Amino acid sequence: MTGREVDVAIIGGGQAGLATAYYLRRAGIDFVILDGEAAPGGAWRHGWDSLRLFSPAAYSSLPGWPMPPGGDDYPSRGAVIDYLTRYEQRYALPVERPVQVQAVIYDGDRLRIETDKGPWRARGVVMATGTWRHPHVPHYPGQELFEGQQLHSAHYSGPDRFAGQRLLVVGGGNSGAQLQAELSLVADATWVTERPPVFLPDDVDGRVLFQRATARIKAFQEGRAPDAPPGGLGDIVMVAPVKAARDRGNLGSVRPFARFTRTGVLWTDGTETDIDTIIWCTGFRPALDPVAGLDLIEPDGTVALDSTRCRRNPKLWFVGYGTWTGPGSATLIGVGRSARDTASEIAAVLTGFPT
Ligand code: FAD
């Protein structure tokens, strides 16, 4: 058998993979991180130029080392990439990259991880592949007729190339609000949201989303209904550019169109609008391709878990995908909790002792 043997293989070297690695290291577990990017940072390497965190540095830290407070209230995308890069170095985490994991398959009492750089075998696998690779675009009637451009926010880098265009920005979360704010400065941008957007009060920011997630976890642990409002990453944090767009009257939104036409869209009132580009800020789905052959993925794209451990294959754990892997787990500060619990359970399984 060629390839390398390891106790645990973490697939994905973004924030979720690094947080899990931090705790596995503390538990003395032998592990490797297999990451598809050419450099550290995970999905943060692909965000748009002006993208900022919606929480201050102190509320965006991975376990063990607080994010250094930069000059800005909300760290830039570059500051996050720099932090994740230095985090890897600080803990000398064993990352193999770029490595594309093609499949995870059963191999006797192990799991075999097939990659473009050869196979690995592991006693346990942590999926930390995030969602960026699976942008979600909803279907609208006539979409195949439309001759204009379509772009998902995953591939948006900045406003310049859209100057003077007629745009639709579709999606009512943080991405939609931030792109509407930015694009309405250079183009005729219309914001389309399924329902009126939910804005957080001006004086709170992303940390309240973390506090809500914490309150929900506490309620579940105490066996009572959560009293914190459900709000998740979908509630819009009023970062400065979004506030400015509201103050200049560019943050109104309309309800979805009925269907596409060749040159634009037909609204439900029967009027038509010609559109040059549609920018889909319609979220993502878990990037679980490596385990697609293990018959684990539910119709909604998630996996049945007990905490983060796969119910149907106890050698697999899932970290960082958002609510179904733990409230707040798709955030820098929120992923630490599930990473800690995951590493503790793995240690207990592999060594008989929880950390
Ligand atoms: P990722 O960062 O996507 O990392 C996954 C890694 O796995 C990548 O390196 C990828 O290459 C690798 N990978 C995937 N598949 C394979 C494979 N088959 N083989 C090998 N490697 C693979 N969170 C916050 O905390 N604060 C914020 O302010 C915030 N703002 C956001 C704004 C936007 C616009 C978006 C989209 C998200 C935001 N988030 C924020 C959420 C956060 O950025 C993401 O959820 C985060 O990137 C998830 O980290 P991750 O490690 O789970 O996944």
Side-chain angles (χ1 to χ4, degrees):
M1 173 64 205
T2 59
R4 289 124 303 184
E5 300 273 344
V6 68
D7 277 342
V8 176
I10 301 173
I11 304 175
Q15 59 200 47
L18 300 185
T20 306
Y22 170 83
Y23 284 113
L24 286 177
R25 164 64 51 79
R26 282 197 351 175
I29 298 289
D30 166 46
F31 69 89
V32 68
I33 300 173
L34 305 175
D35 185 45
E37 297 299 328
W44 288 103
R45 295 166 46 73
H46 303 287
W48 53 87
D49 300 342
S50 64
L51 179 59
R52 288 186 171 280
L53 285 175
F54 46 55
S55 314
Y59 271 77
S60 301
S61 299
L62 291 180
W65 180 46
M67 182 184 284
D72 306 298
D73 290 348
Y74 299 110
S76 67
R77 179 173 75 91
V80 177
I81 294 170
D82 179 56
Y83 172 62
L84 296 178
T85 303
R86 290 163 63 196
Y87 189 93
E88 274 187 35
Q89 293 160 355
R90 181 186 182 90
Y91 295 108
L93 298 177
V95 186
E96 300 276 332
R97 63 161 64 96
V99 170
Q100 300 306 332
V101 172
Q102 292 137 348
V104 176
I105 49 184
Y106 300 116
D107 185 357
D109 65 345
R110 296 285 194 273
L111 289 175
R112 189 157 81 227
I113 302 103
E114 300 285 353
T115 85
D116 63 343
K117 301 286 183 8
W120 287 78
R121 290 179 84 234
R123 298 169 67 195
V125 167
V126 176
M127 289 291 288
T129 52
T131 58
W132 184 82
R133 290 191 180 194
H134 278 213
H136 171 67
V137 175
H139 179 71
Y140 279 84
Q143 204 147 355
E144 53 294 340
L145 288 176
F146 179 55
E147 293 175 351
Q149 290 184 71
Q150 300 189 52
L151 179 80
H152 190 281
S153 62
H155 304 293
Y156 171 83
S157 56
D160 297 349
R161 61 182 270 220
F162 303 101
Q165 284 198 14
R166 295 158 303 185
L167 304 175
L168 288 191
V169 176
V170 183
N174 278 290
S175 299
Q178 291 183 22
L179 267 56
Q180 171 62 14
E182 181 162 284
L183 289 163
S184 57
L185 286 168
V186 300
D188 170 11
T190 301
W191 191 18
V192 178
T193 64
E194 279 186 311
R195 58 191 72 83
V198 179
F199 298 104
L200 287 171
D202 282 15
D203 58 346
V204 301
D205 56 28
R207 74 191 92 179
V208 80
L209 303 181
F210 177 66
Q211 286 155 1
R212 281 183 184 171
T214 304
R216 291 170 68 76
I217 290 174
K218 197 162 174 300
F220 291 140
Q221 286 166 344
E222 293 166 0
R224 57 184 171 76
D227 42 18
L233 284 183
D235 290 1
I236 297 167
V237 180
M238 295 307 286
V239 292
V242 175
K243 262 185 230 163
R246 178 196 58 197
D247 297 347
R248 60 173 194 270
N250 278 146
L251 208 57
S253 77
V254 297
R255 294 302 77 80
F257 48 91
R259 64 177 177 79
F260 279 95
T261 63
R262 196 172 50 77
T263 55
V265 294
L266 175 77
W267 300 100
T268 51
D269 65 1
T271 57
E272 288 196 31
T273 308
D274 281 350
I275 295 294
D276 297 305
T277 304
I278 299 216
I279 299 186
W280 299 104
C281 302
T282 41
F284 300 82
R285 294 293 181 271
L288 302 183
D289 311 278
V291 295
L294 298 182
D295 188 26
L296 306 171
I297 301 174
E298 304 292 332
D300 66 357
T302 66
V303 170
L305 303 177
D306 291 316
S307 179
T308 59
R309 192 175 189 184
C310 178
R311 204 167 288 157
R312 288 159 62 183
N313 181 324
K315 294 182 188 297
L316 272 170
W317 283 264
F318 293 77
V319 178
Y321 295 94
T323 307
W324 63 280
T325 58
S329 62
T331 62
L332 282 152
I333 191 166
V335 73
R337 264 187 299 243
S338 39
R340 181 201 57 212
D341 297 348
T342 299
S344 176
E345 183 171 51
I346 290 174
V349 168
L350 297 188
T351 63
F353 307 107
T355 50

